[in-house]
Amino acid sequence: MPTPTQKKYIEEKFYFLLPIEKPEVPERILEVASEEGLYEKPECHVSLVVEKSGVKIREGLAKSSDPEKFKQAILDLFNELPFEYSLTDKYSLQEKSYTREELDARGLQDEPPQLRRSIVQVVDMPEVEVFYKKVSQLLNIELEVPVPHTT
């Protein structure tokens, strides 16, 4: 199975991204995207930790006995796991409206209220669950494991 082309860590928000090779998008999906006014992105990635999970992890780190030690343990885990993946044939149109309150709660104070729309492709990436379970145990918090996908 392929692995991400690189691993990106965005320190100020505690986001973890996994860029992958841009997959071939089926014509039927391109047609739906065009009908919905969506465009094809030039790059693809799997968001391992963003927004809601990032907020919970930052809160868990702040309450921990040694935030820097636990932060480094999470970074080490991120860098150690290969995050092998395979693309599935599952696609869906995602639409989410974000209010000022929701954006603030997710640590996105600089973002305006908005409606986000995208077509996502589900990715089979078993180590996402491993990562979330280990981070949850490390920080003694409950994290919901997201469905790995690329937009």
Side-chain angles (χ1 to χ4, degrees):
M1 285 200 302
T3 58
T5 57
Q6 67 183 81
K7 295 178 180 180
K8 289 185 177 181
Y9 167 58
I10 302 170
E11 185 171 7
E12 60 273 8
K13 294 187 177 182
F14 212 74
Y15 286 5
F16 295 85
L17 306 175
L18 299 166
I20 63 171
E21 291 290 331
K22 189 169 185 259
E24 187 70 32
V25 179
E27 188 61 36
R28 66 184 171 84
I29 302 302
L30 292 173
E31 289 173 9
V32 171
S34 179
E35 290 169 9
E36 294 291 331
L38 303 172
Y39 62 92
E40 191 172 355
K41 291 171 47 175
E43 59 84 32
C44 292
H45 67 267
V46 174
S47 299
L48 180 65
V49 174
V50 293
E51 300 178 22
K52 191 164 93 174
S53 297
V55 168
K56 285 187 174 184
I57 292 171
R58 288 193 307 269
E59 289 171 352
L61 284 168
K63 293 176 183 176
S64 70
S65 60
D66 190 342
E68 284 305 313
K69 175 184 164 189
F70 289 115
K71 178 179 173 182
Q72 189 58 53
I74 294 168
L75 288 169
D76 290 345
L77 176 64
F78 175 64
N79 288 315
E80 289 166 7
L81 292 171
F83 294 104
E84 292 180 324
Y85 70 93
S86 61
L87 300 170
T88 71
D89 291 329
K90 297 177 187 170
Y91 294 84
S92 67
L93 176 62
Q94 302 290 312
E95 190 171 276
K96 174 72 172 116
S97 183
Y98 291 89
T99 65
R100 171 81 275 134
E101 295 77 23
E102 288 173 308
L103 292 165
D104 289 347
R106 292 172 183 235
L108 300 171
Q109 290 82 6
D110 297 334
E111 294 281 329
Q114 58 197 269
L115 175 66
R116 293 184 189 171
R117 302 173 73 232
S118 61
I119 294 176
V120 302
Q121 181 178 14
V122 175
V123 176
D124 181 27
M125 188 179 274
E127 287 158 330
V128 169
E129 186 171 349
V130 172
F131 179 85
Y132 270 78
K133 284 185 178 182
K134 288 188 176 184
V135 171
S136 293
Q137 291 170 349
L138 184 70
L139 298 176
N140 197 28
I141 60 175
E142 284 192 40
L143 292 170
E144 184 177 324
V145 178
V147 174
H149 64 276
T150 186
T151 54

